[in-house]
Amino acid sequence: MATSTPAIIKLCSLLLLLVFVWGVFEQPKTCEGGESFACNTKDAATKDLPFCRATLPVQDRVRDLLGRLTLQEKVKLLVNTALPVPRLGIKGYEWWSEALHGVSNVGPGTKFGGVFPGATSFPQVITTAASFNASLWEAIGRVVSDEARAMYNGGVAGLTYWSPNVNILRDPRWGRAQETPGEDPTVVGRYAASYVRGLQGDDGNRLKVAACCKHFTAYDLDNWNGVDRFHFNARVSKQDMEDTFDVPFRMCVKEGKVASVMCSYNQVNGVPTCADPNLLKKTVRGAWRLDGYIVSDCDSVGVFYNSQHYTSTPEEAAADAIKAGLDLDCGPFLAVHSEEAVNKGLLKEVDINNALVNTVTVQMRLGMFDGDRGFYARLGPKDVCSPPHQDLALEAAEQGIVLLKNHGPSLPLSTHRHRTVAVIGPNSDVTLTMIGNYAGVACGYTTPLQGLGNFARTIHRAGCADVACANDTLFEAAIDASREADASVLVMGLDQSIEAEFRDRAGLLLPGRQQDLISKVAAASKGPTILVLMSGGSIDVSFANNDPRIAGIVWAGYPGQAGGAAIARVLFGVTNPGGKLPMTWYPEEYLNNLAMTSMDMRSSPSKGYPGRTYRFYRGPVVYPFGHGLSYTKFILSIAAGTAPTVVGIQLDGRHRASQNTTATIDSDNVKAIRVTHAKCNRVSVGFDVDVRNVGNRDGSHALLVFSTPPAQDWAPHKQLVTFEKVYVPARAQRRVRINIHVCKSLSVVDRFGIRRIPMGQHNLHIGDLMHSISLKPASSLGLGVIKS
């Protein structure tokens, strides 16, 4: 969503209109620490009104409140800076807060200072995703919501957080790659559901905080080659929408039970997402059954009127958005134009009521109309930046670090043999770089230099003044340090000046003369040279991977407030790295003639189109999706007798083969059953995998299970179906249960956007193992569903 002032200033005409009109409104008085948002028990005039009675059903309370509001009051509640209704004892409320990887001050709803000087800043999402640990993702969500509630209780934060970002990392140049859980729809969707569950809590219909999955949909371009997100029309096939772009949002809503979805700036197939009833009303609220509200990205309604010229008048824009299913506008547009839209007959007051039902219901579920701080009132300053929370930030950074190369092996370093370490690079002593974007104020920092200083004497030389590394002025001092030290650690990579919101990358190589510095240090270094990379997106470091003088390469992403400590603990072997890449690392040549605006996921050899992500791209890579090394060795085996070889797919009883339940797809002569026609709750595949650690170090292993479906030119050549993280002590073995939902995980999507289960042989790949399962109509197997 839009957060930077420069990005919004680009919409000059829109900004002038909004600033002028919004100025006529009184700015809301929000509740201060200790005060109630509404239904103050000391307010005799309102405390006994039906909407204040927590014992009544929520829907009855919402109905009572809306019945008391005038149209003028209602329209001022349609925007993020909702105005107060003093006569009903309701304070103003700022809906916009952020918590992508910790409580953030990006949105105006959260402010640091006083007894809340900072909050725990976890690694950026792309780094945490590399852990492939869903329980960790949920644990982080619980910590973040603890701190958010504590700050709300102190009057310095809201309860509605527009996080996480669950867009697919389709193109490696995207400046917001760092915010996402990567390129695989299953990983992104599972991250979304896990993090949202952690944020929102598990207290029935009550919400600890209200999360929001964004940006719906097909949004993954900010500003590339003269095309920006405010004007981009993403042309997406039904097939790609169903099997790629929709997947994380569907999982977020249906499995995570998220309380909000945000529509994006861009158009999809010619229609702004925030004005598309097929996307909002029909899909998100209808098919997926969202129990919550839909919010626009900031000023999106104004964007599709002012920049995309989708409607002729602002009133038409307001009416189109609300009737499409938009409930809340980040920005003033709906507050300014909705009343006049009603007066002109473009909108009915009931349409506004329907929007407010969804927002006010979420506020009720948060306890904001219960007259006090509610069921999380105990949380306060002591619960923010607490030692256990900061310990989890360190653990998350350690779990997300990926060992890309270990020649020799040369890692881990030894405190006995590597007593002096040259610490070099523009990211070697950074703080803010480690927390990436959408961050707040961290509790404190441990830089790489400080972390390494806990294990060895350090010689620090920056080598480059910044990541742009425009010249070699500082090279000589860095090279001299490497000649003197027992080992050299180069901390290189990117930062927000290279990749950020509204800043897509031009290429995949290291900026400026970074590569030159790395190679010269490696050539001169007395001891092993270790390259540590900070970045959100992938980097083409083929030169380093192929250089035997560079002994090790580690990707740390943006590792959060404790990043330096985590990097040092991995390099010196206190922690055994277990992360795996959640995205493909492409060579620079991948980008040749590949426009970011091309949304097709599948390759087209006849057109020279390479395809996107590991699911559809078959060309050369620097490192593949799922790559990651360890200091120990794991051997996998499928437990004898646990894995079926034949699985029968039963129909739901309402469909027969003659009713197009099975169909021949294209000319491949492969039969497939529509997912909607199968008894999906009856079809799953389960088996056990033994993970044996044959090394001398304890370690964690991310067990990734891929499936290759029966051959079809439009299906993924492989896709991740599930994953589990397992900790295995040295010389020990652990058994992991694998469960695969056939309809969800072994299905594919045809060219018409219909999800089907292909009959025939599906090959499951788990590391070096392969197990084949044949799917057949249950009628051909008798009554049994699964046969060994």
Side-chain angles (χ1 to χ4, degrees):
M1 61 182 288
T3 57
S4 62
T5 300
I8 299 302
I9 288 177
K10 289 183 180 293
L11 300 172
C12 295
S13 60
L14 171 64
L15 184 62
L16 289 172
L17 170 67
L18 298 183
V19 170
F20 172 78
V21 178
W22 194 236
V24 306
F25 289 105
E26 173 191 1
Q27 290 302 301
K29 179 183 179 183
T30 56
C31 49
E32 304 296 331
E35 293 184 9
S36 301
F37 163 74
C39 303
N40 192 320
T41 55
K42 298 178 181 179
D43 184 354
T46 63
K47 67 176 183 178
D48 293 324
L49 293 176
F51 70 81
C52 290
R53 297 177 190 167
T55 56
L56 293 178
V58 169
Q59 61 267 30
D60 293 346
R61 300 171 69 193
V62 172
R63 188 183 307 113
D64 176 75
L65 173 58
L66 295 186
R68 297 172 186 274
L69 296 172
T70 67
L71 176 60
Q72 292 71 30
E73 290 168 335
K74 290 174 182 176
V75 297
K76 294 178 183 180
L77 300 179
L78 292 172
V79 292
N80 64 293
T81 307
L83 296 187
V85 185
R87 67 184 184 84
L88 295 178
I90 299 173
K91 304 266 192 320
Y93 180 67
E94 177 55 66
W95 285 83
W96 180 6
S97 292
E98 301 279 354
L100 184 67
H101 52 108
V103 178
S104 168
N105 58 355
V106 168
T110 304
K111 297 177 175 60
F112 289 105
V115 295
F116 297 103
T120 308
S121 190
F122 288 91
Q124 185 57 285
V125 175
I126 195 72
T127 310
T128 309
S131 70
F132 283 86
N133 187 346
S135 62
L136 172 67
W137 302 335
E138 187 167 342
I140 292 172
R142 287 194 296 270
V143 166
V144 173
S145 57
D146 273 355
E147 299 196 351
R149 266 285 175 174
M151 293 179 68
Y152 172 77
N153 291 343
V156 295
L159 290 177
T160 46
Y161 288 84
W162 294 346
S163 306
N165 180 338
V166 299
N167 293 116
I168 294 291
L169 177 49
R170 176 185 59 92
D171 190 293
R173 292 165 288 192
W174 190 27
R176 303 184 74 172
Q178 60 189 288
E179 300 175 35
T180 78
E183 71 182 37
D184 180 81
T186 296
V187 174
V188 179
R190 193 162 167 194
Y191 177 91
S194 300
Y195 187 60
V196 166
R197 279 194 293 265
L199 286 176
Q200 295 190 165
D202 56 1
D203 191 8
N205 195 46
R206 287 179 168 182
L207 293 169
K208 190 177 180 186
V209 302
C212 174
C213 281
K214 63 184 185 183
H215 315 77
F216 188 67
T217 184
Y219 167 64
D220 48 16
L221 178 151
D222 269 63
N223 188 13
W224 177 82
N225 202 28
V227 180
D228 66 41
R229 60 188 179 177
F230 305 121
H231 300 87
F232 180 49
N233 177 22
R235 300 192 178 277
V236 184
S237 69
K238 291 180 179 179
Q239 186 177 36
D240 286 339
M241 188 67 78
E242 170 64 27
D243 85 344
T244 296
F245 298 108
D246 273 359
V247 173
F249 290 95
R250 182 169 58 243
M251 293 176 68
C252 185
V253 174
K254 298 186 72 171
E255 299 176 21
K257 308 298 182 185
V258 75
S260 177
V261 169
M262 176 183 287
C263 51
S264 53
Y265 288 114
N266 56 289
Q267 296 184 354
V268 173
N269 299 326
V271 182
T273 65
C274 293
D276 192 337
N278 287 321
L279 290 178
L280 305 187
K281 187 172 290 185
K282 182 178 178 181
T283 301
V284 176
R285 192 167 301 284
W288 300 344
R289 312 291 295 175
L290 172 70
D291 184 12
Y293 69 98
I294 298 175
V295 61
S296 74
D297 205 338
C298 289
D299 294 318
S300 284
V301 183
V303 165
F304 78 66
Y305 169 66
N306 288 283
S307 299
Q308 299 173 8
H309 308 295
Y310 185 70
T311 63
S312 300
T313 68
E315 292 81 15
E316 289 173 336
D320 281 1
I322 292 174
K323 288 193 291 187
L326 187 70
D327 303 311
L328 185 72
D329 179 19
C330 178
F333 198 94
L334 292 188
V336 175
H337 300 292
S338 295
E339 183 178 357
E340 188 60 22
V342 172
N343 294 337
K344 289 184 175 182
L346 300 171
L347 195 63
K348 296 179 181 178
E349 187 168 353
V350 68
D351 297 319
I352 293 175
N353 289 347
N354 291 339
L356 292 178
V357 164
N358 295 322
T359 54
V360 174
T361 296
V362 167
Q363 289 181 311
M364 295 272 185
R365 294 171 62 197
L366 287 163
M368 294 174 66
F369 285 86
D370 290 352
D372 53 32
R373 288 294 171 186
F375 32 92
Y376 294 104
R378 60 178 176 78
L379 295 171
K382 70 181 188 310
D383 300 294
V384 181
C385 289
S386 66
H389 291 183
Q390 297 198 60
D391 289 345
L392 186 63
L394 173 60
E395 181 183 346
E398 292 175 348
Q399 288 198 33
I401 289 175
V402 182
L403 178 61
L404 299 174
K405 174 185 176 180
N406 193 10
H407 183 66
S410 299
L411 289 172
L413 300 176
S414 166
T415 54
H416 301 294
R417 291 181 289 109
H418 306 109
R419 296 176 182 271
T420 302
V421 176
V423 183
I424 298 166
N427 284 335
S428 58
D429 196 29
V430 293
T431 54
L432 292 177
T433 296
M434 295 195 300
I435 60 177
N437 70 352
Y438 279 82
V441 178
C443 308
Y445 296 99
T446 302
T447 71
L449 177 63
Q450 292 169 333
L452 290 165
N454 291 326
F455 293 90
R457 184 176 71 88
T458 58
I459 306 172
H460 182 229
R461 302 290 184 268
C464 301
D466 50 36
V467 296
C469 202
N471 57 61
D472 63 356
T473 304
L474 304 177
F475 279 22
E476 185 175 352
I479 293 168
D480 288 344
S482 71
R483 292 192 179 107
E484 178 184 346
D486 300 320
S488 298
V489 176
L490 291 130
V491 191
M492 313 296 284
L494 314 178
D495 64 14
Q496 303 304 302
S497 70
I498 304 296
E499 54 176 356
E501 184 169 12
F502 216 72
R503 183 176 291 122
D504 296 326
R505 295 159 66 192
L508 304 180
L509 300 176
L510 285 165
R513 301 193 61 180
Q514 284 196 40
Q515 178 174 331
D516 192 21
L517 173 63
I518 294 166
S519 296
K520 287 182 177 179
V521 166
S525 183
K526 181 175 74 173
T529 298
I530 309 301
L531 173 61
V532 177
L533 297 166
M534 287 191 193
S535 73
S538 59
I539 305 173
D540 183 353
V541 288
S542 302
F543 79 96
N545 191 53
N546 297 330
D547 188 342
R549 297 170 301 181
I550 298 175
I553 304 176
V554 167
W555 177 69
Y558 293 123
Q561 65 176 48
I567 289 168
R569 287 165 62 86
V570 167
L571 295 187
F572 276 91
V574 175
T575 297
N576 188 353
K580 293 184 182 294
L581 292 177
M583 73 293 207
T584 303
W585 282 39
Y586 304 92
E588 175 74 8
E589 293 73 27
Y590 171 75
L591 302 180
N592 290 345
N593 302 313
L594 179 62
M596 274 192 78
T597 51
S598 298
M599 299 297 294
D600 291 342
M601 298 300 297
R602 288 155 175 78
S603 63
S604 177
S606 64
K607 298 178 181 178
Y609 187 74
R612 296 184 180 277
T613 77
Y614 79 93
R615 298 164 66 222
F616 303 106
Y617 170 69
R618 293 177 178 266
V621 300
V622 181
Y623 298 111
F625 173 91
H627 175 71
L629 307 175
S630 173
Y631 294 153
T632 190
K633 182 179 180 180
F634 298 99
I635 294 178
L636 310 180
S637 59
I638 296 176
T642 66
T645 57
V646 179
V647 175
I649 309 300
Q650 292 187 331
L651 302 184
D652 63 7
R654 295 173 297 155
H655 300 91
R656 300 168 59 187
S658 60
Q659 295 175 310
N660 197 32
T661 295
T662 61
T664 299
I665 308 299
D666 299 329
S667 59
D668 297 316
N669 202 30
V670 175
K671 298 289 185 179
I673 294 177
R674 285 190 184 219
V675 164
T676 54
H677 294 177
K679 287 187 175 180
C680 288
N681 61 342
R682 299 278 299 276
V683 189
S684 64
V685 174
F687 55 91
D688 296 325
V689 175
D690 290 326
V691 182
R692 186 156 55 99
N693 183 348
V694 297
N696 294 318
R697 291 178 177 269
D698 300 348
S700 294
H701 181 68
L703 200 66
L704 309 185
V705 183
F706 296 91
S707 169
T708 300
Q712 292 131 22
D713 61 4
W714 44 265
H717 68 85
K718 72 172 182 177
Q719 59 187 9
L720 187 70
V721 294
T722 191
F723 57 91
E724 297 293 339
K725 193 68 173 278
V726 57
Y727 175 79
V728 188
R731 303 292 177 181
Q733 178 174 298
R734 294 289 183 266
R735 177 163 289 187
V736 180
R737 183 65 179 174
I738 299 296
N739 290 295
I740 300 172
H741 191 287
V742 171
C743 290
K744 186 169 76 171
S745 300
L746 298 185
S747 60
V748 296
V749 178
D750 69 18
R751 289 194 174 99
F752 305 101
I754 298 172
R755 188 169 288 276
R756 299 178 183 271
I757 309 166
M759 299 296 98
Q761 182 172 299
H762 294 246
N763 295 324
L764 300 180
H765 303 269
I766 313 164
D768 295 330
L769 298 178
M770 188 185 81
H771 177 75
S772 296
I773 295 176
S774 180
L775 301 186
K776 297 183 178 182
S779 58
S780 68
L781 301 174
L783 296 177
V785 175
I786 296 179
K787 294 191 176 183
S788 299

